[in-house]
Amino acid sequence: MLAMTRLFHSKIKNRYFRAMILLRKLLFPFAILYGFITSLRNYLYDKGILKSYSFDIPVIAVGNLTVGGTGKTPQIEYLIRLLSPKYKVATLSRGYKRKSEGFVLATADATAEILGDEPFQYYKKFPNVQVSVDADRKNGIEHLLNQNVQPEIILLDDAYQHRKVKAGFYILLTSYGDLFSDDFMLPTGNLRESSNGAKRANVIIVTKCHSDISKEEQDYIKKKIGLDLPLFFSTVAYDDKVYNDSENLSVIEVKSTPKLLLAGIAKPKPFFDYLQSDSDEILSFPDHHHFSESEISSIKNKANDKIIVTTEKDFVRLNAKILTEQLFYLPIKSEFVDNKEAFDQTIINYVGTCTRNR
């Protein structure tokens, strides 16, 4: 019965994806128009007709050319771990889907609703880091620099297309198997701007690679991207435990335990594949999803007395709404397949040079 149900759902999904592919092809003229508009905007910034603002402080922007799912959050956390032992670090995000407006600096009364899920995750994990949100990155940086304790480095989360601020260093992320060089403009493809925008990057990281990616495959990807820029390859490293506020369980134990797996992220399949067993219930929601009371009730009913395992980003939104002893999250980290020292030194050199110039 379970196999038949899964087969039925698989057929429904296949029909949906075929319909979406057809719709995207029909929207091709709008993709051309969108590409023209974004290219014109970039041209105006490149020529100085639209003004960009730079700051006398190291500013590192992490972003992508595509919509969602390239691993920006783990990369920001990687930079925090690299830089915060030596420098006062601040993060500045848009705060996607937050219920507040303008500039907000995280304090003890911060919540995911006030900051957005990813900034709140930074705040909970890194209490020594100033975490802030503002859709206007220029305004946000100015507010941070007016604090009593000024940051020495600002990390801009998902700000690659925010041309109003000119960061000192740009890290462009692109997912393995979904390279920006193979994509097309929205709405036919997933590009926010033309792939020419990659030329603004200082380094490119191909994220979500398998850990044993060969040198030959790396060289092939470098050739496909076709840019004379430092190129690095990273993978997602899953923790060997799941956690909540009071305890932890080994992943080995969790895999063999009947459970409900829940994710509201852009590309949840690897998360599900890592933990799933045949007896598990699977629930998937849109990225940055705000859970309604009826959805929370449905989640509890489906889980019954089983544990619920979710992503770290979803945990910060669900933690106050589901029993603490029932809800767990699986942490992830970004790890470089090789050349980690070269990447670290590139960042440290930029920060050191910028700091000395001040």
Side-chain angles (χ1 to χ4, degrees):
M1 184 65 181
L2 181 61
M4 291 180 64
T5 302
R6 287 180 174 171
L7 179 62
F8 174 75
H9 287 162
S10 176
K11 288 181 178 179
I12 294 296
K13 285 183 180 179
N14 288 337
R15 290 175 184 173
Y16 170 78
F17 288 135
R18 286 197 296 268
M20 289 302 298
I21 290 171
L22 176 60
L23 178 61
R24 286 194 164 205
K25 288 180 178 178
L26 292 174
L27 292 173
F28 178 78
F30 294 97
I32 298 296
L33 176 62
Y34 181 70
F36 171 77
I37 293 170
T38 56
S39 295
L40 176 61
R41 176 178 178 271
N42 281 329
Y43 174 82
L44 295 176
Y45 272 111
D46 292 340
K47 295 300 180 181
I49 298 169
L50 293 177
K51 185 171 176 56
S52 295
Y53 297 85
S54 56
F55 294 87
D56 186 25
I57 183 175
V59 176
I60 302 174
V62 177
N64 52 26
L65 296 182
T66 58
V67 177
T70 56
K72 293 184 293 295
T73 301
Q75 188 58 46
I76 289 286
E77 292 185 354
Y78 182 95
L79 293 172
I80 291 173
R81 293 187 182 99
L82 174 66
L83 297 169
S84 62
K86 187 175 180 181
Y87 298 97
K88 297 184 182 72
V89 176
T91 67
L92 177 59
S93 309
R94 177 176 51 164
Y96 185 64
K97 286 194 175 182
R98 63 188 170 114
K99 295 181 179 179
S100 59
E101 295 182 357
F103 176 81
V104 178
L105 182 67
T107 58
D109 59 352
T111 64
E113 286 74 20
I114 292 172
L115 297 177
D117 49 17
E118 289 158 345
F120 187 60
Q121 180 176 318
Y122 302 149
Y123 177 68
K124 296 290 285 186
K125 292 179 74 170
F126 305 103
N128 60 324
V129 169
Q130 290 176 294
V131 175
S132 62
V133 293
D134 197 331
D136 183 340
R137 304 308 204 283
K138 174 179 175 290
N139 183 68
I141 292 174
E142 289 172 345
H143 272 83
L144 282 170
L145 296 180
N146 284 325
Q147 301 297 314
N148 291 332
V149 179
Q150 292 185 3
E152 296 172 311
I153 300 169
I154 296 176
L155 305 178
L156 298 182
D157 183 8
D158 195 13
Y160 200 82
Q161 284 77 36
H162 198 89
R163 300 295 306 272
K164 188 176 179 180
V165 166
K166 181 174 175 57
F169 197 93
Y170 286 92
I171 300 174
L172 178 64
L173 308 182
T174 185
S175 294
Y176 174 84
D178 192 18
L179 302 174
F180 68 81
S181 54
D182 295 335
D183 212 336
F184 198 75
M185 295 297 302
L186 286 165
T188 298
N190 290 316
L191 289 183
R192 298 172 170 180
E193 61 172 300
S194 163
S195 58
N196 286 331
K199 296 176 182 177
R200 298 198 303 276
N202 295 92
V203 301
I204 298 174
I205 302 176
V206 181
T207 62
K208 303 184 179 182
C209 301
H210 46 88
S211 59
D212 58 349
I213 182 172
S214 67
K215 290 294 183 184
E216 290 77 14
E217 191 171 8
Q218 291 183 30
D219 290 339
Y220 174 69
I221 291 173
K222 290 177 184 177
K223 189 174 180 180
K224 288 185 75 174
I225 289 176
L227 293 174
D228 187 21
L229 291 169
L231 186 65
F232 298 90
F233 296 82
S234 70
T235 186
V236 173
Y238 291 101
D239 205 302
D240 59 1
K241 293 181 180 180
V242 298
Y243 301 82
N244 61 25
D245 290 340
S246 59
E247 63 176 318
N248 61 73
L249 303 171
S250 73
V251 165
I252 293 174
E253 178 184 354
V254 167
K255 282 184 177 179
S256 61
T257 302
K259 57 191 172 294
L260 187 149
L261 294 176
L262 184 157
I265 57 176
K267 296 176 181 178
K269 187 176 184 302
F271 166 77
F272 291 141
D273 289 346
Y274 183 69
L275 293 173
Q276 185 177 2
S277 65
D278 289 340
S279 61
D280 293 340
E281 184 85 32
I282 304 295
L283 288 178
S284 183
F285 295 87
D287 198 15
H288 302 282
H289 183 68
H290 280 297
F291 297 93
S292 67
E293 290 300 323
S294 62
E295 287 170 335
I296 295 296
S297 177
S298 176
I299 290 168
K300 291 177 180 178
N301 288 336
K302 286 181 180 295
N304 198 3
D305 58 349
K306 295 182 288 188
I307 65 168
I308 301 169
V309 184
T310 188
T311 68
E312 194 167 7
K313 188 166 72 171
D314 292 307
F315 181 82
V316 299
R317 281 178 280 130
L318 289 169
N319 192 25
K321 301 176 180 179
I322 294 176
L323 290 174
T324 300
E325 61 268 22
Q326 188 177 20
L327 184 66
F328 292 82
Y329 68 89
L330 175 71
I332 63 172
K333 286 184 180 180
S334 176
E335 292 185 353
F336 286 92
V337 174
D338 51 24
N339 297 324
K340 173 188 183 301
E341 294 78 10
F343 175 83
D344 290 356
Q345 197 59 53
T346 299
I347 299 299
I348 291 167
N349 287 346
Y350 159 69
V351 171
T353 301
C354 189
T355 303
R356 284 195 299 273
N357 288 342
R358 293 180 68 193

